[in-house]
Amino acid sequence: MSTFRDRTSVRTKHEGEIVNITSWAVDRIKASGIKQGIACVMVKHSTAAVALIEDEPGLRGDLNRALESMVPKEAPYAHNAAGGDGNGHSHIRSTMLGQSLTFTFDEGKPDFGTWQQLVLLELDNAGRERAVLIQLVGE
Amino acid sequence: MSTFRDRTSVRTKHEGEIVNITSWAVDRIKASGIKQGIACVMVKHSTAAVALIEDEPGLRGDLNRALESMVPKEAPYAHNAAGGDGNGHSHIRSTMLGQSLTFTFDEGKPDFGTWQQLVLLELDNAGRERAVLIQLVGE
Amino acid sequence: MSTFRDRTSVRTKHEGEIVNITSWAVDRIKASGIKQGIACVMVKHSTAAVALIEDEPGLRGDLNRALESMVPKEAPYAHNAAGGDGNGHSHIRSTMLGQSLTFTFDEGKPDFGTWQQLVLLELDNAGRERAVLIQLVGE
């Protein structure tokens, strides 16, 4: 059994941006030399998320529209009233979607299905520099 | 330390079906011979989910009604307009609930509480054949 | 490679209570002697959740208001009609937010960003005694 970790930095440009990090994760698992186990990908921020989705332009818009419908940007947030960055909705969306995501891998490759891609979601109201980690445990 | 993995296939019949896979997970952990660690269960599809819930008929309906309220099937989805399968809502619900789930186990048994059952949710607009994986790491 | 686990009990006082358990998790990882790996924190109940959020009073209220907006307490739930505890909404919210959460750690410390705190959310309609587990795998 062994562990492996790596990190990357993603510079987003705007709210609602969805960055496909699948090939980065695939590459890091391959580089680790670990064949089978569990991977955890984590974004070190409370206004971003990581998720699995079929990454096509239509769904990117659909996901953002669904988030706006469920957690509207312009609702009154105490976080904003307290002198925050006007990003109360971003925090709630991030907690709902999740700031970490765990998946399985075998033969040195993630067990993603054909339509599953790993993405980073920028949920804050402006682009940000985002630190992303991958941690493997397995053998 | 060691790893163990297995897979199963679940044939669902209709949208909103909730399939209890708790006994499968319990059995696979027992079969692994690994006593303590972390388990990750993953469905290899972007229109299904895995979750923990008290699995009783009332809540099965409640969960489906809540999903319909939060992410309505008949809303306009760009994914559908682009020639998809009319399952834009399925993708969004799947990403929200999660396509993988991680839990702890000890003495060869999952740490589920009395009212926690592990379920597969069919979120697509028809039954499907679903590949489900379990991966353990521990000792 | 090795594993480590511990548990704690949290006594909540009311619905919507958010209990910061970050220092407990930090302390348990330090005590384990394991330097790098994956941690899974799990609440053994289907009407509570664990999540990462910036833990400040404004957002605590915002998160509860967002949950009430998405999954209203007073909607008709079959779970309640069947003689439940009037906590149908609690179960749905718990399944949405997640009863387990996985994160990475290194050098004996969780990889939490500056604004990420680990919290237990009481989602039931009264205070409860909550069992919380932490399981580490790593080396």
Side-chain angles (χ1 to χ4, degrees), chain B residues 122-138:
Chain B
E122 180 55 75
L123 301 170
D124 215 324
N125 51 19
R128 295 265 187 277
E129 192 79 29
R130 298 309 199 176
V132 184
L133 295 168
I134 188 167
Q135 173 73 52
L136 311 182
V137 290

mmCIF file of all heavy atoms in Angstrom, chain B residues 122-138:
data_model
loop_
_atom_site.group_PDB
_atom_site.id
_atom_site.type_symbol
_atom_site.label_atom_id
_atom_site.label_comp_id
_atom_site.label_asym_id
_atom_site.label_seq_id
_atom_site.Cartn_x
_atom_site.Cartn_y
_atom_site.Cartn_z
ATOM 1 N N GLU B 122 -32.193 5.844 -9.587
ATOM 2 C CA GLU B 122 -32.314 5.989 -11.044
ATOM 3 C C GLU B 122 -32.921 7.355 -11.321
ATOM 4 O O GLU B 122 -34.079 7.605 -10.977
ATOM 5 C CB GLU B 122 -33.211 4.886 -11.624
ATOM 6 C CG GLU B 122 -33.371 4.995 -13.131
ATOM 7 C CD GLU B 122 -32.027 5.004 -13.843
ATOM 8 O OE1 GLU B 122 -31.396 3.918 -13.953
ATOM 9 O OE2 GLU B 122 -31.594 6.095 -14.267
ATOM 10 N N LEU B 123 -32.154 8.239 -11.929
ATOM 11 C CA LEU B 123 -32.617 9.603 -12.182
ATOM 12 C C LEU B 123 -32.908 9.854 -13.652
ATOM 13 O O LEU B 123 -33.440 10.903 -14.013
ATOM 14 C CB LEU B 123 -31.569 10.602 -11.663
ATOM 15 C CG LEU B 123 -31.276 10.468 -10.161
ATOM 16 C CD1 LEU B 123 -30.075 11.312 -9.777
ATOM 17 C CD2 LEU B 123 -32.480 10.868 -9.326
ATOM 18 N N ASP B 124 -32.558 8.901 -14.510
ATOM 19 C CA ASP B 124 -32.825 9.085 -15.937
ATOM 20 C C ASP B 124 -34.314 8.843 -16.220
ATOM 21 O O ASP B 124 -35.036 8.341 -15.371
ATOM 22 C CB ASP B 124 -31.940 8.155 -16.776
ATOM 23 C CG ASP B 124 -31.528 8.821 -18.092
ATOM 24 O OD1 ASP B 124 -32.344 9.571 -18.674
ATOM 25 O OD2 ASP B 124 -30.391 8.597 -18.527
ATOM 26 N N ASN B 125 -34.765 9.218 -17.402
ATOM 27 C CA ASN B 125 -36.202 9.165 -17.689
ATOM 28 C C ASN B 125 -36.695 7.802 -18.174
ATOM 29 O O ASN B 125 -37.792 7.688 -18.724
ATOM 30 C CB ASN B 125 -36.598 10.276 -18.674
ATOM 31 C CG ASN B 125 -35.713 10.277 -19.907
ATOM 32 O OD1 ASN B 125 -35.063 9.270 -20.200
ATOM 33 N ND2 ASN B 125 -35.688 11.383 -20.612
ATOM 34 N N ALA B 126 -35.894 6.784 -17.916
ATOM 35 C CA ALA B 126 -36.300 5.404 -18.225
ATOM 36 C C ALA B 126 -35.372 4.482 -17.440
ATOM 37 O O ALA B 126 -34.332 4.919 -16.931
ATOM 38 C CB ALA B 126 -36.173 5.114 -19.714
ATOM 39 N N GLY B 127 -35.742 3.204 -17.333
ATOM 40 C CA GLY B 127 -34.861 2.243 -16.688
ATOM 41 C C GLY B 127 -33.566 2.081 -17.470
ATOM 42 O O GLY B 127 -33.529 2.308 -18.683
ATOM 43 N N ARG B 128 -32.515 1.695 -16.764
ATOM 44 C CA ARG B 128 -31.202 1.537 -17.392
ATOM 45 C C ARG B 128 -30.469 0.383 -16.702
ATOM 46 O O ARG B 128 -30.800 0.005 -15.574
ATOM 47 C CB ARG B 128 -30.347 2.797 -17.201
ATOM 48 C CG ARG B 128 -30.855 4.059 -17.870
ATOM 49 C CD ARG B 128 -30.202 4.240 -19.226
ATOM 50 N NE ARG B 128 -30.530 5.521 -19.836
ATOM 51 C CZ ARG B 128 -31.637 5.765 -20.529
ATOM 52 N NH1 ARG B 128 -32.564 4.834 -20.672
ATOM 53 N NH2 ARG B 128 -31.825 6.949 -21.093
ATOM 54 N N GLU B 129 -29.439 -0.113 -17.376
ATOM 55 C CA GLU B 129 -28.498 -1.047 -16.752
ATOM 56 C C GLU B 129 -27.413 -0.213 -16.093
ATOM 57 O O GLU B 129 -26.742 0.580 -16.771
ATOM 58 C CB GLU B 129 -27.892 -1.968 -17.842
ATOM 59 C CG GLU B 129 -27.137 -3.151 -17.306
ATOM 60 C CD GLU B 129 -28.079 -4.270 -16.861
ATOM 61 O OE1 GLU B 129 -29.190 -4.403 -17.418
ATOM 62 O OE2 GLU B 129 -27.691 -5.009 -15.924
ATOM 63 N N ARG B 130 -27.210 -0.385 -14.779
ATOM 64 C CA ARG B 130 -26.282 0.476 -14.046
ATOM 65 C C ARG B 130 -25.123 -0.320 -13.466
ATOM 66 O O ARG B 130 -25.344 -1.303 -12.729
ATOM 67 C CB ARG B 130 -27.025 1.177 -12.907
ATOM 68 C CG ARG B 130 -28.164 2.094 -13.357
ATOM 69 C CD ARG B 130 -27.725 3.060 -14.425
ATOM 70 N NE ARG B 130 -28.615 4.222 -14.572
ATOM 71 C CZ ARG B 130 -28.352 5.221 -15.409
ATOM 72 N NH1 ARG B 130 -27.272 5.215 -16.170
ATOM 73 N NH2 ARG B 130 -29.186 6.245 -15.496
ATOM 74 N N ALA B 131 -23.921 0.111 -13.758
ATOM 75 C CA ALA B 131 -22.712 -0.497 -13.194
ATOM 76 C C ALA B 131 -22.354 0.202 -11.890
ATOM 77 O O ALA B 131 -22.238 1.427 -11.860
ATOM 78 C CB ALA B 131 -21.558 -0.385 -14.181
ATOM 79 N N VAL B 132 -22.217 -0.583 -10.839
ATOM 80 C CA VAL B 132 -21.907 -0.046 -9.518
ATOM 81 C C VAL B 132 -20.631 -0.713 -9.003
ATOM 82 O O VAL B 132 -20.494 -1.940 -9.074
ATOM 83 C CB VAL B 132 -23.055 -0.316 -8.527
ATOM 84 C CG1 VAL B 132 -22.779 0.339 -7.180
ATOM 85 C CG2 VAL B 132 -24.384 0.164 -9.093
ATOM 86 N N LEU B 133 -19.715 0.096 -8.480
ATOM 87 C CA LEU B 133 -18.439 -0.400 -7.963
ATOM 88 C C LEU B 133 -18.342 -0.166 -6.473
ATOM 89 O O LEU B 133 -18.849 0.831 -5.961
ATOM 90 C CB LEU B 133 -17.280 0.366 -8.608
ATOM 91 C CG LEU B 133 -17.082 0.209 -10.109
ATOM 92 C CD1 LEU B 133 -16.095 1.262 -10.599
ATOM 93 C CD2 LEU B 133 -16.558 -1.184 -10.398
ATOM 94 N N ILE B 134 -17.649 -1.059 -5.794
ATOM 95 C CA ILE B 134 -17.243 -0.791 -4.419
ATOM 96 C C ILE B 134 -15.739 -0.999 -4.333
ATOM 97 O O ILE B 134 -15.202 -1.976 -4.866
ATOM 98 C CB ILE B 134 -18.002 -1.670 -3.392
ATOM 99 C CG1 ILE B 134 -17.674 -1.212 -1.955
ATOM 100 C CG2 ILE B 134 -17.714 -3.153 -3.562
ATOM 101 C CD1 ILE B 134 -18.590 -1.801 -0.883
ATOM 102 N N GLN B 135 -15.074 -0.044 -3.710
ATOM 103 C CA GLN B 135 -13.621 -0.132 -3.525
ATOM 104 C C GLN B 135 -13.316 0.101 -2.047
ATOM 105 O O GLN B 135 -13.781 1.086 -1.472
ATOM 106 C CB GLN B 135 -12.928 0.949 -4.363
ATOM 107 C CG GLN B 135 -11.428 1.066 -4.140
ATOM 108 C CD GLN B 135 -10.662 -0.094 -4.757
ATOM 109 O OE1 GLN B 135 -10.839 -0.397 -5.921
ATOM 110 N NE2 GLN B 135 -9.809 -0.751 -3.966
ATOM 111 N N LEU B 136 -12.541 -0.805 -1.474
ATOM 112 C CA LEU B 136 -12.132 -0.665 -0.074
ATOM 113 C C LEU B 136 -10.634 -0.408 0.016
ATOM 114 O O LEU B 136 -9.852 -0.958 -0.765
ATOM 115 C CB LEU B 136 -12.440 -1.951 0.705
ATOM 116 C CG LEU B 136 -13.827 -2.572 0.574
ATOM 117 C CD1 LEU B 136 -13.925 -3.811 1.472
ATOM 118 C CD2 LEU B 136 -14.914 -1.576 0.921
ATOM 119 N N VAL B 137 -10.248 0.396 0.991
ATOM 120 C CA VAL B 137 -8.845 0.481 1.403
ATOM 121 C C VAL B 137 -8.831 0.422 2.921
ATOM 122 O O VAL B 137 -9.635 1.066 3.587
ATOM 123 C CB VAL B 137 -8.127 1.755 0.904
ATOM 124 C CG1 VAL B 137 -7.910 1.706 -0.601
ATOM 125 C CG2 VAL B 137 -8.894 3.011 1.270
ATOM 126 N N GLY B 138 -7.946 -0.381 3.461
ATOM 127 C CA GLY B 138 -7.905 -0.519 4.915
ATOM 128 C C GLY B 138 -7.009 -1.659 5.326
ATOM 129 O O GLY B 138 -6.161 -2.107 4.557
#
